Amino acid sequence: MDQERTRIQEDLRGLISGPVHCDDLFLQLYASDASIYQIRPLGVVRPRSTADVAACLQYAHENAIPVHARGAGTGLAGESLGPGLVIDFAYGMRRILATDAESVRVQPGVVHGVLNAHLGSRGRRFGPDPATSDVTTIGSVVAVDASGSHALRYGSAREHVEHLQIVLA
């Protein structure tokens, strides 16, 4: 591992509770997605909380390192790839936090199919139905405003999202 990646890994491990990987094997695993593209990142961060995401983004901003959000890596346009830090939301931020009669609150790494199974037991569903529902994450569904083959009936993601908690640099 080169000096820059070693420094990034050591710095981030002191700032966040989730794992940080800058070794060659992890970087190769995150250098591709379902697209034809391949871009090796500087590091992979697997946050466990919003505080981890905020700390990672602040560090990246202060060090002029690009950040690339990633869910399941099912995108066909290389949208989760890049030369900076990949933040993998599917690892540690995949909980359904609250469900009530009118809404559900989830973390970005929740798998779309898991959410619909959870809602199905209550006679409900999250309308957008991407083809890769069994692996695609809600963060990705929202990011690309996914709709799916039943778009005329259910619409796209933006029509079903009431609130977002986001972290900016």
Side-chain angles (χ1 to χ4, degrees), residues 29-147:
L29 291 171
Y30 284 82
S32 60
D33 59 5
S35 72
I36 60 170
Y37 306 108
Q38 190 171 39
I39 303 171
R40 186 178 164 139
L42 275 175
V44 176
V45 177
R46 292 175 150 186
R48 291 189 174 128
S49 66
T50 304
D52 279 359
V53 176
C56 181
L57 288 180
Q58 182 175 351
Y59 176 83
H61 176 72
E62 291 169 356
N63 292 280
I65 300 171
V67 174
H68 315 281
R70 183 179 178 117
T74 58
L76 299 175
E79 58 268 31
S80 66
L81 305 177
L85 293 174
V86 169
I87 300 181
D88 178 1
F89 289 100
Y91 176 78
M93 294 189 71
R94 56 179 184 211
R95 290 181 287 288
I96 297 172
L97 301 171
T99 306
D100 62 34
E102 297 296 320
S103 64
V104 62
R105 190 165 56 103
V106 302
Q107 292 180 314
V110 170
V111 172
H112 181 270
V114 170
L115 174 60
N116 272 340
H118 172 78
L119 293 173
S121 67
R122 293 159 172 77
R124 298 171 32 212
R125 68 176 286 120
F126 181 69
D129 62 338
T132 55
S133 178
D134 290 339
V135 291
T136 237
T137 62
I138 293 299
S140 298
V141 169
V142 171
V144 301
D145 192 28
S147 55

Side-chain angles (χ1 to χ4, degrees), residues 148-163:
S149 60
H150 295 100
L152 293 176
R153 180 173 183 184
Y154 296 115
S156 67
R158 70 175 164 221
E159 297 170 54
H160 302 282
V161 174
E162 292 181 8
H163 304 282

Side-chain angles (χ1 to χ4, degrees), residues 7-42:
R7 178 186 52 82
I8 289 169
Q9 183 169 303
E10 289 172 359
D11 290 349
L12 285 172
R13 283 186 175 167
L15 295 173
I16 70 167
S17 64
V20 178
H21 300 279
C22 294
D23 57 279
D24 291 330
L25 176 62
F26 251 85
L27 300 186
Q28 192 58 41
L29 291 171
Y30 284 82
S32 60
D33 59 5
S35 72
I36 60 170
Y37 306 108
Q38 190 171 39
I39 303 171
R40 186 178 164 139
L42 275 175

